[in-house]
């Protein structure tokens, strides 16, 4: 069945550092790909999404490109801020999973001033 | 901005007791979901609900679980006889259209602690 694998955390960076959180997926169909973020004490918020190969999702300085050839959707940000500290989840949905969201394990990001 | 709300934020119960977790989805949304996240583990799909019936459920969603949309605004998850392993964060989500490309909007979650 479909699955999502993302890098384990926590990831600890200094402010203004470059961020990459790796995400790879396994799917039999043509999934849509998502990054959700969970700030401390809050629910899950959609950060960005991409629905087909080579699409780039972007929001709040974060970007991720849907790479079908490497089945990846890595999250990047050029210069992180302390306020980016959160848990980041990669997820997919497709017809084969009846559009349930299939989630990665989450990566905790800690940004130090 | 419309949002999904959930109550209570934290529920503590004794093993074997019934609990009802409540959610108010966004008002013009048609598809509703429950997910759970056991501490330190992945978010897991429980059930989806459309047109007043379950459209999909996972293996986790056994006979102890039920969902209901009692009054056109609330969407509830009932656990009939809680077990220790039901302790988790429970998230409600909703989406307006078939979620092939559309965002599922999540509530803040209910933390269930079974003692």
């Amino acid at each position: 069945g479909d699955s999502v694998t993302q890098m384990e955390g926590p990831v600890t960076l200094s402010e203004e550092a470059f961020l990459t959180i790796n995400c790879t997926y396994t799917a039999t169909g043509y999934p849509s790909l998502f990054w959700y973020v969970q700030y401390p004490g809050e629910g899950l918020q959609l950060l960005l999404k991409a629905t087909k190969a080579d699409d780039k999702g972007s929001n709040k300085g974060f970007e991720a490109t849907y790479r079908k050839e490497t089945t990846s959707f890595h999250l990047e940000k050029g210069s992180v801020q302390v306020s980016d500290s959160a848990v980041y989840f990669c997820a997919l949905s497709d017809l084969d999973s009846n559009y349930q969201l299939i989630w990665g394990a989450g990566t905790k990001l800690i940004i130090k001033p | 901005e419309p949002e999904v709300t959930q109550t209570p934020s934290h529920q503590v119960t004794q093993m074997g007791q019934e609990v009802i977790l409540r959610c108010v989805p966004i008002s013009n949304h048609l598809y509703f979901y429950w997910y759970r996240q056991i501490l330190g583990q992945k978010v897991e799909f429980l059930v989806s609900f459309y047109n007043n019936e379950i459209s999909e459920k996972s293996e986790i969603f056994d006979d102890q679980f039920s969902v209901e949309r009692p009054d056109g605004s609330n969407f509830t998850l009932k656990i009939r006889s809680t077990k220790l392993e039901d302790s988790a964060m429970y998230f409600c989500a909703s989406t307006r259209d078939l979620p092939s490309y559309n965002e599922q909007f999540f509530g803040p979650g209910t933390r269930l602690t079974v003692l």
Side-chain angles (χ1 to χ4, degrees), chain B residues 19-23 32-35 45-58 61-71 74-80 90-93:
Chain B
V19 294
I20 298 176
L21 309 183
R22 290 184 167 79
C23 169
F32 314 112
Y33 307 84
W34 284 101
Y35 293 84
F45 168 78
L46 292 178
V47 65
S48 59
F49 191 86
Y50 169 70
N51 201 25
N52 283 319
E53 60 183 26
I54 291 173
S55 49
E56 192 75 23
K57 60 183 181 179
S58 71
F61 195 88
D62 61 21
D63 293 343
Q64 293 297 314
F65 291 89
S66 62
V67 289
E68 198 177 31
R69 188 153 163 81
D71 56 15
N74 288 283
F75 178 51
T76 62
L77 174 69
K78 182 192 291 186
I79 309 174
R80 249 179 284 283
Y90 288 81
F91 293 103
C92 173

mmCIF file of all heavy atoms in Angstrom, chain B residues 19-23 32-35 45-58 61-71 74-80 90-93:
data_model
loop_
_atom_site.group_PDB
_atom_site.id
_atom_site.type_symbol
_atom_site.label_atom_id
_atom_site.label_comp_id
_atom_site.label_asym_id
_atom_site.label_seq_id
_atom_site.Cartn_x
_atom_site.Cartn_y
_atom_site.Cartn_z
ATOM 1 N N VAL B 19 -16.554 7.462 25.838
ATOM 2 C CA VAL B 19 -16.242 8.871 25.620
ATOM 3 C C VAL B 19 -16.830 9.305 24.279
ATOM 4 O O VAL B 19 -16.946 8.499 23.348
ATOM 5 C CB VAL B 19 -14.727 9.171 25.638
ATOM 6 C CG1 VAL B 19 -14.143 8.926 27.001
ATOM 7 C CG2 VAL B 19 -13.990 8.388 24.576
ATOM 8 N N ILE B 20 -17.193 10.554 24.215
ATOM 9 C CA ILE B 20 -17.651 11.166 22.966
ATOM 10 C C ILE B 20 -16.791 12.394 22.700
ATOM 11 O O ILE B 20 -16.727 13.306 23.526
ATOM 12 C CB ILE B 20 -19.132 11.558 23.037
ATOM 13 C CG1 ILE B 20 -19.995 10.318 23.239
ATOM 14 C CG2 ILE B 20 -19.542 12.288 21.754
ATOM 15 C CD1 ILE B 20 -21.475 10.621 23.419
ATOM 16 N N LEU B 21 -16.140 12.375 21.561
ATOM 17 C CA LEU B 21 -15.331 13.520 21.135
ATOM 18 C C LEU B 21 -16.130 14.292 20.099
ATOM 19 O O LEU B 21 -16.695 13.698 19.173
ATOM 20 C CB LEU B 21 -14.002 13.039 20.545
ATOM 21 C CG LEU B 21 -13.205 12.052 21.395
ATOM 22 C CD1 LEU B 21 -11.878 11.723 20.717
ATOM 23 C CD2 LEU B 21 -12.985 12.556 22.791
ATOM 24 N N ARG B 22 -16.139 15.587 20.259
ATOM 25 C CA ARG B 22 -16.995 16.410 19.404
ATOM 26 C C ARG B 22 -16.201 17.305 18.468
ATOM 27 O O ARG B 22 -15.140 17.810 18.826
ATOM 28 C CB ARG B 22 -17.928 17.263 20.275
ATOM 29 C CG ARG B 22 -18.974 16.447 20.981
ATOM 30 C CD ARG B 22 -19.957 17.282 21.768
ATOM 31 N NE ARG B 22 -21.110 16.484 22.163
ATOM 32 C CZ ARG B 22 -21.142 15.627 23.185
ATOM 33 N NH1 ARG B 22 -20.066 15.451 23.922
ATOM 34 N NH2 ARG B 22 -22.231 14.946 23.459
ATOM 35 N N CYS B 23 -16.768 17.512 17.318
ATOM 36 C CA CYS B 23 -16.144 18.318 16.277
ATOM 37 C C CYS B 23 -17.235 19.130 15.600
ATOM 38 O O CYS B 23 -18.348 18.635 15.392
ATOM 39 C CB CYS B 23 -15.456 17.389 15.275
ATOM 40 S SG CYS B 23 -14.888 18.166 13.744
ATOM 41 N N PHE B 32 -16.069 14.475 6.043
ATOM 42 C CA PHE B 32 -15.571 14.602 7.403
ATOM 43 C C PHE B 32 -14.717 13.394 7.756
ATOM 44 O O PHE B 32 -14.957 12.283 7.271
ATOM 45 C CB PHE B 32 -16.741 14.713 8.393
ATOM 46 C CG PHE B 32 -17.792 15.693 7.945
ATOM 47 C CD1 PHE B 32 -19.051 15.257 7.578
ATOM 48 C CD2 PHE B 32 -17.506 17.036 7.875
ATOM 49 C CE1 PHE B 32 -20.009 16.162 7.140
ATOM 50 C CE2 PHE B 32 -18.459 17.953 7.435
ATOM 51 C CZ PHE B 32 -19.722 17.503 7.063
ATOM 52 N N TYR B 33 -13.733 13.640 8.612
ATOM 53 C CA TYR B 33 -12.745 12.607 8.915
ATOM 54 C C TYR B 33 -12.367 12.643 10.395
ATOM 55 O O TYR B 33 -12.410 13.691 11.033
ATOM 56 C CB TYR B 33 -11.442 12.859 8.115
ATOM 57 C CG TYR B 33 -11.657 13.010 6.648
ATOM 58 C CD1 TYR B 33 -12.018 14.241 6.110
ATOM 59 C CD2 TYR B 33 -11.528 11.927 5.792
ATOM 60 C CE1 TYR B 33 -12.244 14.387 4.756
ATOM 61 C CE2 TYR B 33 -11.746 12.069 4.438
ATOM 62 C CZ TYR B 33 -12.098 13.296 3.926
ATOM 63 O OH TYR B 33 -12.321 13.431 2.590
ATOM 64 N N TRP B 34 -11.980 11.491 10.875
ATOM 65 C CA TRP B 34 -11.279 11.401 12.152
ATOM 66 C C TRP B 34 -9.944 10.706 11.911
ATOM 67 O O TRP B 34 -9.869 9.689 11.211
ATOM 68 C CB TRP B 34 -12.070 10.619 13.191
ATOM 69 C CG TRP B 34 -13.211 11.385 13.791
ATOM 70 C CD1 TRP B 34 -14.527 11.269 13.467
ATOM 71 C CD2 TRP B 34 -13.133 12.371 14.826
ATOM 72 N NE1 TRP B 34 -15.272 12.138 14.234
ATOM 73 C CE2 TRP B 34 -14.445 12.821 15.071
ATOM 74 C CE3 TRP B 34 -12.086 12.911 15.569
ATOM 75 C CZ2 TRP B 34 -14.747 13.796 16.028
ATOM 76 C CZ3 TRP B 34 -12.375 13.869 16.519
ATOM 77 C CH2 TRP B 34 -13.684 14.306 16.743
ATOM 78 N N TYR B 35 -8.911 11.290 12.526
ATOM 79 C CA TYR B 35 -7.568 10.716 12.547
ATOM 80 C C TYR B 35 -7.139 10.649 14.004
ATOM 81 O O TYR B 35 -7.654 11.370 14.860
ATOM 82 C CB TYR B 35 -6.573 11.601 11.793
ATOM 83 C CG TYR B 35 -6.786 11.704 10.310
ATOM 84 C CD1 TYR B 35 -7.693 12.608 9.774
ATOM 85 C CD2 TYR B 35 -6.046 10.918 9.436
ATOM 86 C CE1 TYR B 35 -7.871 12.714 8.399
ATOM 87 C CE2 TYR B 35 -6.208 11.025 8.058
ATOM 88 C CZ TYR B 35 -7.126 11.925 7.558
ATOM 89 O OH TYR B 35 -7.287 12.024 6.197
ATOM 90 N N PHE B 45 -5.313 7.360 9.885
ATOM 91 C CA PHE B 45 -6.696 7.541 9.477
ATOM 92 C C PHE B 45 -7.592 6.587 10.251
ATOM 93 O O PHE B 45 -7.267 5.408 10.430
ATOM 94 C CB PHE B 45 -6.805 7.271 7.978
ATOM 95 C CG PHE B 45 -8.199 7.136 7.457
ATOM 96 C CD1 PHE B 45 -8.983 8.249 7.224
ATOM 97 C CD2 PHE B 45 -8.726 5.880 7.196
ATOM 98 C CE1 PHE B 45 -10.265 8.124 6.733
ATOM 99 C CE2 PHE B 45 -10.011 5.735 6.703
ATOM 100 C CZ PHE B 45 -10.787 6.859 6.466
ATOM 101 N N LEU B 46 -8.728 7.088 10.709
ATOM 102 C CA LEU B 46 -9.729 6.239 11.355
ATOM 103 C C LEU B 46 -10.931 6.018 10.451
ATOM 104 O O LEU B 46 -11.304 4.881 10.170
ATOM 105 C CB LEU B 46 -10.202 6.877 12.666
ATOM 106 C CG LEU B 46 -9.193 6.952 13.806
ATOM 107 C CD1 LEU B 46 -9.825 7.662 15.011
ATOM 108 C CD2 LEU B 46 -8.723 5.577 14.213
ATOM 109 N N VAL B 47 -11.557 7.120 10.007
ATOM 110 C CA VAL B 47 -12.832 6.982 9.327
ATOM 111 C C VAL B 47 -13.117 8.237 8.509
ATOM 112 O O VAL B 47 -12.673 9.327 8.860
ATOM 113 C CB VAL B 47 -13.955 6.742 10.370
ATOM 114 C CG1 VAL B 47 -14.137 7.954 11.269
ATOM 115 C CG2 VAL B 47 -15.268 6.327 9.731
ATOM 116 N N SER B 48 -13.832 8.039 7.416
ATOM 117 C CA SER B 48 -14.347 9.170 6.645
ATOM 118 C C SER B 48 -15.863 9.044 6.552
ATOM 119 O O SER B 48 -16.420 7.928 6.604
ATOM 120 C CB SER B 48 -13.709 9.242 5.266
ATOM 121 O OG SER B 48 -13.964 8.052 4.535
ATOM 122 N N PHE B 49 -16.525 10.171 6.393
ATOM 123 C CA PHE B 49 -17.989 10.226 6.515
ATOM 124 C C PHE B 49 -18.509 11.202 5.479
ATOM 125 O O PHE B 49 -18.017 12.334 5.370
ATOM 126 C CB PHE B 49 -18.319 10.713 7.928
ATOM 127 C CG PHE B 49 -19.742 10.599 8.349
ATOM 128 C CD1 PHE B 49 -20.221 9.424 8.901
ATOM 129 C CD2 PHE B 49 -20.611 11.676 8.249
ATOM 130 C CE1 PHE B 49 -21.527 9.310 9.342
ATOM 131 C CE2 PHE B 49 -21.921 11.578 8.677
ATOM 132 C CZ PHE B 49 -22.378 10.396 9.231
ATOM 133 N N TYR B 50 -19.497 10.749 4.718
ATOM 134 C CA TYR B 50 -20.070 11.597 3.678
ATOM 135 C C TYR B 50 -21.529 11.212 3.505
ATOM 136 O O TYR B 50 -21.887 10.035 3.531
ATOM 137 C CB TYR B 50 -19.308 11.421 2.362
ATOM 138 C CG TYR B 50 -19.971 12.058 1.172
ATOM 139 C CD1 TYR B 50 -20.031 13.443 1.056
ATOM 140 C CD2 TYR B 50 -20.552 11.284 0.161
ATOM 141 C CE1 TYR B 50 -20.655 14.045 -0.022
ATOM 142 C CE2 TYR B 50 -21.176 11.886 -0.921
ATOM 143 C CZ TYR B 50 -21.220 13.260 -1.011
ATOM 144 O OH TYR B 50 -21.838 13.856 -2.081
ATOM 145 N N ASN B 51 -22.356 12.207 3.339
ATOM 146 C CA ASN B 51 -23.773 11.973 3.066
ATOM 147 C C ASN B 51 -24.410 11.103 4.155
ATOM 148 O O ASN B 51 -25.174 10.171 3.858
ATOM 149 C CB ASN B 51 -23.924 11.313 1.687
ATOM 150 C CG ASN B 51 -25.310 11.497 1.106
ATOM 151 O OD1 ASN B 51 -26.011 12.445 1.441
ATOM 152 N ND2 ASN B 51 -25.715 10.569 0.255
ATOM 153 N N ASN B 52 -24.037 11.397 5.380
ATOM 154 C CA ASN B 52 -24.594 10.742 6.558
ATOM 155 C C ASN B 52 -24.269 9.261 6.679
ATOM 156 O O ASN B 52 -25.025 8.513 7.336
ATOM 157 C CB ASN B 52 -26.117 10.942 6.638
ATOM 158 C CG ASN B 52 -26.465 12.322 7.130
ATOM 159 O OD1 ASN B 52 -25.834 12.839 8.049
ATOM 160 N ND2 ASN B 52 -27.463 12.930 6.518
ATOM 161 N N GLU B 53 -23.188 8.851 6.057
ATOM 162 C CA GLU B 53 -22.760 7.485 6.280
ATOM 163 C C GLU B 53 -21.253 7.363 6.162
ATOM 164 O O GLU B 53 -20.600 8.220 5.555
ATOM 165 C CB GLU B 53 -23.459 6.512 5.329
ATOM 166 C CG GLU B 53 -23.207 6.781 3.861
ATOM 167 C CD GLU B 53 -23.991 5.831 2.973
ATOM 168 O OE1 GLU B 53 -25.042 5.317 3.396
ATOM 169 O OE2 GLU B 53 -23.519 5.580 1.849
ATOM 170 N N ILE B 54 -20.724 6.313 6.762
ATOM 171 C CA ILE B 54 -19.299 6.055 6.688
ATOM 172 C C ILE B 54 -18.953 5.679 5.252
ATOM 173 O O ILE B 54 -19.575 4.805 4.651
ATOM 174 C CB ILE B 54 -18.905 4.928 7.653
ATOM 175 C CG1 ILE B 54 -19.039 5.406 9.105
ATOM 176 C CG2 ILE B 54 -17.485 4.448 7.380
ATOM 177 C CD1 ILE B 54 -18.836 4.321 10.139
ATOM 178 N N SER B 55 -17.955 6.357 4.696
ATOM 179 C CA SER B 55 -17.522 6.023 3.339
ATOM 180 C C SER B 55 -16.271 5.156 3.344
ATOM 181 O O SER B 55 -16.051 4.378 2.414
ATOM 182 C CB SER B 55 -17.290 7.279 2.505
ATOM 183 O OG SER B 55 -16.487 8.203 3.191
ATOM 184 N N GLU B 56 -15.490 5.253 4.388
ATOM 185 C CA GLU B 56 -14.280 4.451 4.479
ATOM 186 C C GLU B 56 -13.873 4.368 5.951
ATOM 187 O O GLU B 56 -14.064 5.325 6.703
ATOM 188 C CB GLU B 56 -13.146 5.121 3.687
ATOM 189 C CG GLU B 56 -11.923 4.274 3.454
ATOM 190 C CD GLU B 56 -12.106 3.208 2.399
ATOM 191 O OE1 GLU B 56 -13.004 3.373 1.547
ATOM 192 O OE2 GLU B 56 -11.369 2.224 2.430
ATOM 193 N N LYS B 57 -13.353 3.209 6.356
ATOM 194 C CA LYS B 57 -12.827 3.100 7.714
ATOM 195 C C LYS B 57 -11.592 2.216 7.704
ATOM 196 O O LYS B 57 -11.443 1.344 6.857
ATOM 197 C CB LYS B 57 -13.879 2.557 8.681
ATOM 198 C CG LYS B 57 -14.400 1.175 8.333
ATOM 199 C CD LYS B 57 -15.482 0.766 9.324
ATOM 200 C CE LYS B 57 -15.988 -0.626 8.982
ATOM 201 N NZ LYS B 57 -17.039 -1.070 9.944
ATOM 202 N N SER B 58 -10.730 2.463 8.677
ATOM 203 C CA SER B 58 -9.496 1.690 8.751
ATOM 204 C C SER B 58 -9.702 0.482 9.672
ATOM 205 O O SER B 58 -10.750 0.344 10.321
ATOM 206 C CB SER B 58 -8.370 2.568 9.288
ATOM 207 O OG SER B 58 -8.568 2.838 10.658
ATOM 208 N N PHE B 61 -10.655 1.181 13.278
ATOM 209 C CA PHE B 61 -12.034 1.581 13.558
ATOM 210 C C PHE B 61 -12.884 0.327 13.702
ATOM 211 O O PHE B 61 -13.594 -0.087 12.776
ATOM 212 C CB PHE B 61 -12.536 2.478 12.434
ATOM 213 C CG PHE B 61 -13.804 3.233 12.771
ATOM 214 C CD1 PHE B 61 -13.735 4.465 13.395
ATOM 215 C CD2 PHE B 61 -15.044 2.709 12.455
ATOM 216 C CE1 PHE B 61 -14.889 5.164 13.702
ATOM 217 C CE2 PHE B 61 -16.203 3.396 12.752
ATOM 218 C CZ PHE B 61 -16.129 4.627 13.372
ATOM 219 N N ASP B 62 -12.791 -0.289 14.882
ATOM 220 C CA ASP B 62 -13.543 -1.526 15.101
ATOM 221 C C ASP B 62 -14.897 -1.221 15.738
ATOM 222 O O ASP B 62 -15.333 -0.060 15.770
ATOM 223 C CB ASP B 62 -12.708 -2.495 15.959
ATOM 224 C CG ASP B 62 -12.377 -1.929 17.336
ATOM 225 O OD1 ASP B 62 -13.093 -1.004 17.792
ATOM 226 O OD2 ASP B 62 -11.409 -2.401 17.946
ATOM 227 N N ASP B 63 -15.550 -2.243 16.247
ATOM 228 C CA ASP B 63 -16.915 -2.081 16.764
ATOM 229 C C ASP B 63 -16.999 -1.173 17.986
ATOM 230 O O ASP B 63 -18.106 -0.787 18.389
ATOM 231 C CB ASP B 63 -17.502 -3.450 17.111
ATOM 232 C CG ASP B 63 -17.731 -4.300 15.878
ATOM 233 O OD1 ASP B 63 -17.744 -3.715 14.776
ATOM 234 O OD2 ASP B 63 -17.892 -5.522 16.017
ATOM 235 N N GLN B 64 -15.866 -0.877 18.592
ATOM 236 C CA GLN B 64 -15.876 0.025 19.743
ATOM 237 C C GLN B 64 -16.067 1.485 19.330
ATOM 238 O O GLN B 64 -16.387 2.335 20.156
ATOM 239 C CB GLN B 64 -14.562 -0.096 20.528
ATOM 240 C CG GLN B 64 -14.372 -1.434 21.201
ATOM 241 C CD GLN B 64 -15.450 -1.683 22.234
ATOM 242 O OE1 GLN B 64 -15.775 -0.826 23.048
ATOM 243 N NE2 GLN B 64 -16.031 -2.865 22.195
ATOM 244 N N PHE B 65 -15.846 1.758 18.055
ATOM 245 C CA PHE B 65 -15.916 3.125 17.554
ATOM 246 C C PHE B 65 -17.208 3.334 16.773
ATOM 247 O O PHE B 65 -17.699 2.423 16.091
ATOM 248 C CB PHE B 65 -14.735 3.414 16.616
ATOM 249 C CG PHE B 65 -13.393 3.478 17.295
ATOM 250 C CD1 PHE B 65 -12.635 2.325 17.457
ATOM 251 C CD2 PHE B 65 -12.886 4.684 17.754
ATOM 252 C CE1 PHE B 65 -11.384 2.381 18.077
ATOM 253 C CE2 PHE B 65 -11.638 4.746 18.368
ATOM 254 C CZ PHE B 65 -10.888 3.592 18.524
ATOM 255 N N SER B 66 -17.725 4.535 16.850
ATOM 256 C CA SER B 66 -18.834 4.918 15.982
ATOM 257 C C SER B 66 -18.767 6.424 15.746
ATOM 258 O O SER B 66 -18.156 7.161 16.532
ATOM 259 C CB SER B 66 -20.188 4.532 16.589
ATOM 260 O OG SER B 66 -20.396 5.204 17.816
ATOM 261 N N VAL B 67 -19.347 6.841 14.644
ATOM 262 C CA VAL B 67 -19.402 8.268 14.332
ATOM 263 C C VAL B 67 -20.842 8.636 14.016
ATOM 264 O O VAL B 67 -21.650 7.806 13.591
ATOM 265 C CB VAL B 67 -18.500 8.663 13.147
ATOM 266 C CG1 VAL B 67 -17.031 8.601 13.523
ATOM 267 C CG2 VAL B 67 -18.788 7.810 11.913
ATOM 268 N N GLU B 68 -21.110 9.907 14.218
ATOM 269 C CA GLU B 68 -22.470 10.383 14.025
ATOM 270 C C GLU B 68 -22.431 11.861 13.676
ATOM 271 O O GLU B 68 -21.540 12.595 14.110
ATOM 272 C CB GLU B 68 -23.257 10.191 15.335
ATOM 273 C CG GLU B 68 -24.747 10.243 15.188
ATOM 274 C CD GLU B 68 -25.440 9.961 16.515
ATOM 275 O OE1 GLU B 68 -24.877 10.291 17.570
ATOM 276 O OE2 GLU B 68 -26.554 9.417 16.484
ATOM 277 N N ARG B 69 -23.424 12.269 12.889
ATOM 278 C CA ARG B 69 -23.611 13.692 12.633
ATOM 279 C C ARG B 69 -25.026 13.997 13.111
ATOM 280 O O ARG B 69 -25.974 13.978 12.332
ATOM 281 C CB ARG B 69 -23.423 13.990 11.160
ATOM 282 C CG ARG B 69 -23.409 15.444 10.801
ATOM 283 C CD ARG B 69 -22.606 15.667 9.544
ATOM 284 N NE ARG B 69 -22.879 16.960 8.932
ATOM 285 C CZ ARG B 69 -22.349 18.103 9.329
ATOM 286 N NH1 ARG B 69 -21.533 18.128 10.361
ATOM 287 N NH2 ARG B 69 -22.625 19.223 8.698
ATOM 288 N N PRO B 70 -25.182 14.237 14.389
ATOM 289 C CA PRO B 70 -26.516 14.227 14.990
ATOM 290 C C PRO B 70 -27.422 15.385 14.586
ATOM 291 O O PRO B 70 -28.645 15.249 14.593
ATOM 292 C CB PRO B 70 -26.224 14.259 16.488
ATOM 293 C CG PRO B 70 -24.870 14.880 16.601
ATOM 294 C CD PRO B 70 -24.127 14.478 15.375
ATOM 295 N N ASP B 71 -26.824 16.519 14.229
ATOM 296 C CA ASP B 71 -27.681 17.688 14.075
ATOM 297 C C ASP B 71 -27.287 18.599 12.928
ATOM 298 O O ASP B 71 -27.656 19.754 12.910
ATOM 299 C CB ASP B 71 -27.677 18.513 15.379
ATOM 300 C CG ASP B 71 -26.264 18.914 15.773
ATOM 301 O OD1 ASP B 71 -25.344 18.810 14.937
ATOM 302 O OD2 ASP B 71 -26.082 19.320 16.934
ATOM 303 N N ASN B 74 -22.632 19.229 14.241
ATOM 304 C CA ASN B 74 -21.640 18.468 14.990
ATOM 305 C C ASN B 74 -21.302 17.161 14.291
ATOM 306 O O ASN B 74 -22.127 16.585 13.568
ATOM 307 C CB ASN B 74 -22.174 18.152 16.396
ATOM 308 C CG ASN B 74 -22.216 19.384 17.262
ATOM 309 O OD1 ASN B 74 -21.210 19.838 17.773
ATOM 310 N ND2 ASN B 74 -23.409 19.953 17.409
ATOM 311 N N PHE B 75 -20.084 16.709 14.524
ATOM 312 C CA PHE B 75 -19.628 15.413 14.009
ATOM 313 C C PHE B 75 -18.903 14.762 15.177
ATOM 314 O O PHE B 75 -17.924 15.302 15.676
ATOM 315 C CB PHE B 75 -18.699 15.641 12.820
ATOM 316 C CG PHE B 75 -18.125 14.391 12.215
ATOM 317 C CD1 PHE B 75 -18.939 13.328 11.854
ATOM 318 C CD2 PHE B 75 -16.761 14.286 11.965
ATOM 319 C CE1 PHE B 75 -18.408 12.184 11.281
ATOM 320 C CE2 PHE B 75 -16.218 13.151 11.389
ATOM 321 C CZ PHE B 75 -17.043 12.089 11.048
ATOM 322 N N THR B 76 -19.430 13.631 15.641
ATOM 323 C CA THR B 76 -18.893 13.055 16.875
ATOM 324 C C THR B 76 -18.235 11.713 16.633
ATOM 325 O O THR B 76 -18.609 10.962 15.730
ATOM 326 C CB THR B 76 -20.008 12.874 17.920
ATOM 327 O OG1 THR B 76 -20.984 11.969 17.399
ATOM 328 C CG2 THR B 76 -20.661 14.199 18.262
ATOM 329 N N LEU B 77 -17.267 11.425 17.469
ATOM 330 C CA LEU B 77 -16.613 10.122 17.514
ATOM 331 C C LEU B 77 -16.870 9.540 18.905
ATOM 332 O O LEU B 77 -16.530 10.176 19.903
ATOM 333 C CB LEU B 77 -15.111 10.247 17.278
ATOM 334 C CG LEU B 77 -14.281 8.971 17.433
ATOM 335 C CD1 LEU B 77 -14.598 7.976 16.314
ATOM 336 C CD2 LEU B 77 -12.784 9.283 17.441
ATOM 337 N N LYS B 78 -17.485 8.369 18.949
ATOM 338 C CA LYS B 78 -17.758 7.709 20.224
ATOM 339 C C LYS B 78 -16.875 6.482 20.343
ATOM 340 O O LYS B 78 -16.776 5.687 19.394
ATOM 341 C CB LYS B 78 -19.228 7.309 20.325
ATOM 342 C CG LYS B 78 -19.584 6.647 21.663
ATOM 343 C CD LYS B 78 -20.956 5.998 21.655
ATOM 344 C CE LYS B 78 -22.074 6.959 21.583
ATOM 345 N NZ LYS B 78 -23.408 6.299 21.712
ATOM 346 N N ILE B 79 -16.273 6.338 21.503
ATOM 347 C CA ILE B 79 -15.569 5.104 21.837
ATOM 348 C C ILE B 79 -16.346 4.470 22.966
ATOM 349 O O ILE B 79 -16.489 5.049 24.057
ATOM 350 C CB ILE B 79 -14.102 5.358 22.243
ATOM 351 C CG1 ILE B 79 -13.387 6.228 21.208
ATOM 352 C CG2 ILE B 79 -13.366 4.012 22.397
ATOM 353 C CD1 ILE B 79 -11.980 6.636 21.606
ATOM 354 N N ARG B 80 -16.868 3.272 22.710
ATOM 355 C CA ARG B 80 -17.845 2.679 23.635
ATOM 356 C C ARG B 80 -17.226 2.248 24.953
ATOM 357 O O ARG B 80 -17.770 2.499 26.018
ATOM 358 C CB ARG B 80 -18.501 1.461 22.973
ATOM 359 C CG ARG B 80 -19.963 1.680 22.626
ATOM 360 C CD ARG B 80 -20.545 0.455 21.953
ATOM 361 N NE ARG B 80 -20.107 0.341 20.569
ATOM 362 C CZ ARG B 80 -20.600 1.069 19.570
ATOM 363 N NH1 ARG B 80 -21.532 1.959 19.776
ATOM 364 N NH2 ARG B 80 -20.166 0.895 18.341
ATOM 365 N N TYR B 90 -6.748 12.971 19.019
ATOM 366 C CA TYR B 90 -7.738 12.697 17.982
ATOM 367 C C TYR B 90 -8.018 13.982 17.215
ATOM 368 O O TYR B 90 -8.381 15.000 17.805
ATOM 369 C CB TYR B 90 -9.021 12.143 18.596
ATOM 370 C CG TYR B 90 -8.853 10.727 19.091
ATOM 371 C CD1 TYR B 90 -8.260 10.467 20.330
ATOM 372 C CD2 TYR B 90 -9.244 9.643 18.323
ATOM 373 C CE1 TYR B 90 -8.067 9.171 20.778
ATOM 374 C CE2 TYR B 90 -9.060 8.336 18.768
ATOM 375 C CZ TYR B 90 -8.464 8.108 19.990
ATOM 376 O OH TYR B 90 -8.266 6.825 20.433
ATOM 377 N N PHE B 91 -7.852 13.912 15.900
ATOM 378 C CA PHE B 91 -8.055 15.078 15.048
ATOM 379 C C PHE B 91 -9.271 14.864 14.160
ATOM 380 O O PHE B 91 -9.421 13.817 13.528
ATOM 381 C CB PHE B 91 -6.845 15.326 14.153
ATOM 382 C CG PHE B 91 -5.609 15.746 14.889
ATOM 383 C CD1 PHE B 91 -4.588 14.835 15.115
ATOM 384 C CD2 PHE B 91 -5.462 17.044 15.340
ATOM 385 C CE1 PHE B 91 -3.428 15.221 15.784
ATOM 386 C CE2 PHE B 91 -4.314 17.429 16.018
ATOM 387 C CZ PHE B 91 -3.299 16.511 16.238
ATOM 388 N N CYS B 92 -10.094 15.874 14.098
ATOM 389 C CA CYS B 92 -11.196 15.921 13.161
ATOM 390 C C CYS B 92 -10.762 16.764 11.966
ATOM 391 O O CYS B 92 -9.986 17.727 12.129
ATOM 392 C CB CYS B 92 -12.405 16.537 13.856
ATOM 393 S SG CYS B 92 -13.811 16.869 12.812
ATOM 394 N N ALA B 93 -11.244 16.420 10.780
ATOM 395 C CA ALA B 93 -10.940 17.213 9.584
ATOM 396 C C ALA B 93 -12.161 17.253 8.692
ATOM 397 O O ALA B 93 -13.024 16.371 8.749
ATOM 398 C CB ALA B 93 -9.742 16.625 8.830
#
